[in-house]
Amino acid sequence: MLYEFESTLFQVEHLEKFPSLEEQPFLYKYRARTLLQQLLQKTQDPLQQAIIHYQLGVNFLDCEENGESRKNMGKSLQLFSQIEDIENYLTYIQSIYNHLGFLAVNLDDNETGLAILAKAERLGEYLIAKGDFEKRPLKIQGGFERAQEFYTITLFYIAQAYTKLGIKDKAAYYCGQTMLRQFKSKTYELRDFVINCISLSEYYSGIWNFAQAFYLLLVGEAVIPEGKRKKLRATLQMAQGKIIGDMMSYCVDCIKSNQQNDPSLPKLFNKYSITFDGVNVKQLVFQPSKTFDEIKSLFRQSNTLYKKAMTIFVLDGFVTEHIQMLSEISIMYKVIMSLEPDPNNVIAYLEKRLDLLLPVFNAINPKAYQNTYEKLLVEIAEINNELYEFLVKFNEIDDFQGGKSKKLTEKMNKACLNTIQYYEKIVEQLKLLEEKQRDQAYYSSITTAYFNIAKAQSKFFSKDNKIKVQYLVNSLNQYKQLVQFINQQNQQNEFQAVLQMCKEMIQILPSKIDRINYM
């Protein structure tokens, strides 16, 4: 019976390695399962039964039959508990805990899954310590290497569970430990490892450990063979640009709140939780930027990284990535604009943002890239709105004189008309939503669009009084329609401030129209 047991397991292992067929992806696994089930009927040996149930558990999981997998793993664990010489088979127990923990997490029973995986973690630590202490291969199934492999899987599953629970610090810790072990044992798949570097760097950037975040991206870059995987390298450059941009934004916030000299910032920026041995990447030291010139230096660094990535992620073929980077650069202009002392530069920054986004907005297919199109539409509308409002103040435009500079007044009028145009497009998009899709975000968006259209119409300047009056009348009607819309949709409580401003404008505009008519 022992010979048949061992030869059957060999056949099963051979079948499991066969490549899947597209039309019958589990064919060979089903054949392996049949062999295991037939073997189970023939043996009365508890150890053999335990191993067969384990193999069946793996087989069912591979075939996406999680319920049957759980049953067989549970039966295997029960049988192994009856074996006197269990020490030799602890890697089986380790793997069973991994599978049961994974299956629980997959069912969103994260607490149960974590409790089971904690057992796997403790068992893995015991086996690894035992192997290290004895300085010789463990006398267990699979030996020391198998115990190490299963322990890495345990840490990976724990990271997944904490991610699903939203416990980010523990998820990051276990993800980092998994990556360290994979890197040390050279058992990682290149793309997965690089993507994990990016994901983990996003976490550390989010808690302002910018040096750690950038270091991880450099590690990801270092493991890519020279001249290979250009898209993967460009993805890292894109992520590097985002990290520098995030650090720039944080430093701007510190300057605006007069906290740029906070002595805790260097320690916060340069806290390291994970470093890799055997990779030619030095630990970086980032100093907080304290002046506008230093902020602009960070902008240039981030912009350079994005431009490198965009040489690979061109618009023709990589629409989403290309536009995402342009949007990030646009946001950086918005951030540094808040510190810009020169009004002419503020205007230039706003125009630069439009120069970045308008060409791609006009180039993409709104049906093929609906989400991207809608995000660009909103951003372009907001930039035009901000531009004309700034020009009204800076150029000191009133209803009768038209401002200090004719050129700036023309720019303001153009921005006004663009604001009206793009917010009207937003309204058109929102009206396409079905009634059941009209949530509070919908009402907020459409109310903002209507209000900004009305406001822009009231600011348009013309020396021709008839034209000026027509825009004021349009504005007045728009405010009235907005009040009617809010009341009809029973949104009075949510938009009290908007209603109040609309009512004030409805009172003010008629007298303004009369004054211009009598001029």
Side-chain angles (χ1 to χ4, degrees), residues 1 4 8 37-45 48:
M1 186 62 206
E4 184 177 357
T8 301
Q37 290 171 332
Q38 290 173 348
L39 183 63
L40 186 62
Q41 298 300 318
K42 296 178 181 179
T43 181
Q44 299 299 317
D45 183 280
Q48 292 180 3

Side-chain angles (χ1 to χ4, degrees), residues 181-234:
R181 294 180 61 79
Q182 289 174 333
F183 182 79
K184 185 177 180 180
S185 61
K186 293 181 171 54
T187 56
Y188 60 86
E189 197 280 322
L190 180 60
R191 187 181 184 281
D192 289 345
F193 184 83
V194 170
I195 296 302
N196 285 334
C197 283
I198 294 171
S199 298
L200 198 54
S201 75
E202 290 173 355
Y203 165 75
Y204 284 111
S205 178
I207 59 172
W208 311 301
N209 296 162
F210 297 114
Q212 173 71 91
F214 205 85
Y215 169 86
L216 286 163
L217 298 177
L218 292 178
V219 170
E221 202 167 12
V223 300
I224 300 175
E226 190 66 32
K228 304 291 185 180
R229 308 296 289 270
K230 291 182 179 180
K231 284 193 290 185
L232 199 56
R233 193 179 297 276

Side-chain angles (χ1 to χ4, degrees), residues 85 101 224 227 280 295 300 307 352 374 381 406 456:
D85 192 16
I224 300 175
N280 188 26
I295 293 295
R300 288 191 293 270
K307 285 184 176 179
K352 182 63 177 176
E374 290 174 355
K406 180 181 178 181

Side-chain angles (χ1 to χ4, degrees), residues 87 125-136 138:
E87 192 78 11
E125 289 168 351
Y126 164 76
L127 291 173
I128 291 169
K130 183 180 176 66
D132 286 343
F133 177 76
E134 294 183 356
K135 301 296 181 183
R136 66 174 188 272
L138 286 169

Side-chain angles (χ1 to χ4, degrees), residues 214-280:
F214 205 85
Y215 169 86
L216 286 163
L217 298 177
L218 292 178
V219 170
E221 202 167 12
V223 300
I224 300 175
E226 190 66 32
K228 304 291 185 180
R229 308 296 289 270
K230 291 182 179 180
K231 284 193 290 185
L232 199 56
R233 193 179 297 276
T235 303
L236 283 163
Q237 290 167 342
M238 183 176 171
Q240 289 168 358
K242 182 71 166 65
I243 297 299
I244 299 298
D246 288 347
M247 183 167 66
M248 184 197 79
S249 297
Y250 186 80
C251 289
V252 167
D253 288 341
C254 289
I255 292 171
K256 288 164 70 175
S257 60
N258 201 29
Q259 294 178 330
Q260 68 269 29
N261 294 311
D262 186 336
S264 68
L265 289 180
K267 184 178 180 181
L268 177 65
F269 280 22
N270 297 291
K271 181 180 178 181
Y272 277 87
S273 304
I274 174 173
T275 56
F276 289 80
D277 294 329
V279 61
N280 188 26

Side-chain angles (χ1 to χ4, degrees), residues 419-479:
T419 297
I420 295 167
Q421 174 191 348
Y422 289 111
Y423 274 114
E424 284 178 344
K425 285 181 180 288
I426 290 172
V427 171
E428 289 174 12
Q429 293 287 319
L430 290 169
K431 284 183 175 179
L432 295 175
L433 292 176
E434 296 179 7
E435 188 69 34
K436 61 183 179 182
Q437 295 176 288
R438 298 183 178 185
D439 56 10
Q440 201 55 45
Y442 159 83
Y443 287 112
S444 178
S445 297
I446 200 166
T447 299
T448 299
Y450 279 139
F451 185 81
N452 285 337
I453 291 169
K455 189 171 60 171
Q457 287 171 329
S458 72
K459 297 299 181 182
F460 184 85
F461 179 81
S462 176
K463 289 184 178 180
D464 186 327
N465 287 347
K466 289 183 178 179
I467 295 175
K468 177 63 180 173
V469 166
Q470 186 59 57
Y471 273 95
L472 290 174
V473 170
N474 290 344
S475 175
L476 176 61
N477 290 335
Q478 187 76 56
Y479 281 122

Side-chain angles (χ1 to χ4, degrees), residues 16-224:
E16 295 278 6
K17 291 179 180 178
F18 270 52
S20 299
L21 302 175
E22 186 175 347
E23 63 277 9
Q24 292 179 287
F26 301 134
L27 175 64
Y28 295 111
K29 294 188 183 297
Y30 289 153
R31 290 179 180 177
R33 181 188 301 176
T34 300
L35 291 176
L36 289 168
Q37 290 171 332
Q38 290 173 348
L39 183 63
L40 186 62
Q41 298 300 318
K42 296 178 181 179
T43 181
Q44 299 299 317
D45 183 280
L47 176 58
Q48 292 180 3
Q49 290 177 338
I51 293 172
I52 294 169
H53 276 292
Y54 168 79
Q55 296 285 4
L56 282 168
V58 173
N59 180 282
F60 277 112
L61 185 60
D62 288 344
C63 295
E64 301 175 6
E65 299 176 57
N66 294 355
E68 290 299 316
S69 176
R70 189 181 302 104
K71 289 178 185 178
N72 279 277
M73 286 295 178
K75 183 64 176 178
S76 178
L77 186 62
Q78 178 187 350
L79 288 165
F80 271 121
S81 66
Q82 301 171 15
I83 307 300
E84 292 183 4
D85 192 16
I86 190 63
E87 192 78 11
N88 291 335
Y89 302 96
L90 288 178
T91 49
Y92 277 109
I93 307 299
Q94 188 185 10
S95 184
I96 290 169
Y97 284 151
N98 278 345
H99 281 84
L100 291 173
F102 168 81
L103 288 165
V105 170
N106 196 50
L107 285 173
D108 291 328
D109 190 358
N110 296 301
E111 292 183 4
T112 299
L114 280 170
I116 297 170
L117 290 169
K119 294 179 180 180
E121 184 181 15
R122 289 192 296 270
L123 181 55
E125 289 168 351
Y126 164 76
L127 291 173
I128 291 169
K130 183 180 176 66
D132 286 343
F133 177 76
E134 294 183 356
K135 301 296 181 183
R136 66 174 188 272
L138 286 169
K139 292 182 178 180
I140 59 173
Q141 187 72 22
F144 185 62
E145 289 185 1
R146 181 57 62 89
Q148 291 271 21
E149 176 191 343
F150 287 160
Y151 183 62
T152 302
I153 293 171
T154 300
L155 300 180
F156 175 70
Y157 287 163
I158 293 175
Q160 285 187 319
Y162 279 125
T163 298
K164 293 183 73 173
L165 285 170
I167 305 176
K168 294 182 179 180
D169 56 340
K170 289 189 175 181
Y173 170 79
Y174 280 99
C175 179
Q177 293 303 306
T178 302
M179 291 172 65
L180 284 170
R181 294 180 61 79
Q182 289 174 333
F183 182 79
K184 185 177 180 180
S185 61
K186 293 181 171 54
T187 56
Y188 60 86
E189 197 280 322
L190 180 60
R191 187 181 184 281
D192 289 345
F193 184 83
V194 170
I195 296 302
N196 285 334
C197 283
I198 294 171
S199 298
L200 198 54
S201 75
E202 290 173 355
Y203 165 75
Y204 284 111
S205 178
I207 59 172
W208 311 301
N209 296 162
F210 297 114
Q212 173 71 91
F214 205 85
Y215 169 86
L216 286 163
L217 298 177
L218 292 178
V219 170
E221 202 167 12
V223 300
I224 300 175

